[in-house]
Amino acid sequence: MPTEKTLVIIPTYNESENIGELLDDIFSRYPEMLDILIIDDSSPDGTAGLVKEKQLRNKRLYLKERPEKMGLGTAYIDGFRYALEHDYCRVIEMDADYSHDPEVIGVMLEKSLTTDLVIGSRYINNTVNVINWPLGRLVLSKMASIYTRLITGMPVSDPTSGYKCFQARVLKEIDLDRVKSQGYSFQIEMNFKVWKKGFTIDEVPIIFIDRAVGKSKMTKRNIVEAVWVVWWLPILSFFRRL
């Protein structure tokens, strides 16, 4: 298991029903290994206040409050910059709603010893490991993965997964100012840029459990953006504009 500094980035918007339990779970499993950065977009349900209470008892928990809802992609970019500024060696992306099992963090960290980007995959080896999604959303997600792989050529089974572990040196080689996507397409864009830079990518299986409380942040705009970004990325790559 890696011993270097690792940062877990968790964007939040109205996650007061989930965030406290999730933080306790992660810190109990990895008491000495991880720092956590919560990036909250002024959640009206008091998410940031709950995080501040946790900070009083844990010096490895950090909070960045943003003035308004600014989107998933910009939240992660802010988190990546924070990680690089503070010399973290590994950076993990994770959802706040418990759809990502904290136990997999250890698996991804172990894999990261030999891999530049580790992706927690719902669809590895032609399986479908998703619980509590309606059939329509499951089909949409699976078809998006097939579509993305077909158009971009990326050797990734689950290109829209938001559960990942980056080596920090990978993020240093990517022009974060050029990453503009949000939602699904943000994950696709980051994977594509990592792949085109020649870094190694591997996947580990996860079981994705849809949130039990709170509301999904996915919008129709996210879906439309992902459709055209899949075509735009190869064009940018052709003209060496990534």
Side-chain angles (χ1 to χ4, degrees):
M1 190 73 70
T3 57
E4 300 94 341
K5 292 174 62 178
T6 297
L7 181 69
V8 180
I9 303 170
I10 305 177
T12 57
Y13 185 77
N14 286 348
E15 294 291 353
S16 62
E17 296 174 287
N18 295 303
I19 196 62
E21 183 179 357
L22 180 62
L23 291 173
D24 290 343
D25 195 348
I26 295 173
F27 282 129
S28 66
R29 290 173 186 268
Y30 311 100
E32 303 296 333
M33 295 176 57
L34 306 173
D35 292 350
I36 298 177
L37 172 64
I38 303 296
I39 301 180
D40 186 71
D41 280 359
S42 293
S43 298
D45 73 342
T47 299
L50 293 175
V51 174
K52 290 175 182 177
E53 291 179 12
K54 295 288 185 183
Q55 283 184 297
L56 297 175
R57 300 185 293 275
N58 197 318
K59 295 183 178 180
R60 292 167 48 227
L61 175 60
Y62 302 94
L63 171 66
K64 178 180 177 63
E65 295 183 82
R66 306 199 301 177
E68 59 185 357
K69 192 173 182 180
M70 300 169 67
L72 183 71
T74 60
Y76 276 127
I77 294 299
D78 283 353
F80 293 161
R81 289 198 171 103
Y82 180 95
L84 296 179
E85 290 168 2
H86 293 82
D87 297 321
Y88 286 94
C89 294
R90 288 172 176 80
V91 182
I92 292 173
E93 291 185 16
M94 187 177 189
D95 288 350
D97 61 5
Y98 250 105
S99 57
H100 295 152
D101 184 355
E103 186 175 352
V104 180
I105 290 176
V107 177
M108 290 198 296
L109 287 174
E110 193 70 34
K111 178 70 73 172
S112 74
L113 290 170
T114 56
T115 305
D116 297 316
L117 169 59
V118 182
I119 300 173
S121 175
R122 300 161 291 187
Y123 308 128
I124 194 169
N125 297 326
N126 293 316
T127 59
V128 177
N129 292 317
V130 177
I131 297 174
N132 293 338
W133 264 7
L135 180 60
R137 184 172 179 186
L138 179 58
V139 170
L140 176 65
S141 177
K142 180 62 177 176
M143 292 304 295
S145 297
I146 296 171
Y147 169 79
T148 298
R149 183 167 181 157
L150 179 65
I151 302 303
T152 65
M154 277 193 298
V156 176
S157 300
D158 192 358
T160 62
S161 172
Y163 203 5
K164 300 178 181 179
C165 178
F166 293 87
Q167 294 270 9
R169 60 188 177 84
V170 173
L171 299 175
K172 291 178 182 178
E173 295 298 318
I174 293 175
D175 186 349
L176 297 178
D177 289 332
R178 288 183 177 270
V179 180
K180 303 299 183 182
S181 303
Q182 301 293 323
Y184 277 153
S185 55
F186 172 79
Q187 306 300 350
I188 296 169
E189 183 173 353
M190 287 300 300
N191 293 341
F192 189 83
K193 290 174 183 288
V194 170
W195 177 54
K196 282 298 183 178
K197 288 285 185 181
F199 291 108
T200 56
I201 302 175
D202 204 353
E203 295 175 270
V204 297
I206 64 170
I207 297 175
F208 182 94
I209 303 175
D210 195 24
R211 62 166 64 239
V213 294
K215 295 181 179 180
S216 172
K217 310 302 189 298
M218 185 180 71
T219 66
K220 290 182 180 179
R221 180 179 178 181
N222 294 152
I223 297 171
V224 171
E225 182 185 52
V227 169
W228 70 262
V229 162
V230 166
W231 289 92
W232 187 236
L233 289 171
I235 293 171
L236 289 178
S237 177
F238 180 80
F239 289 104
R240 301 183 183 278
R241 296 292 303 273
L242 286 176

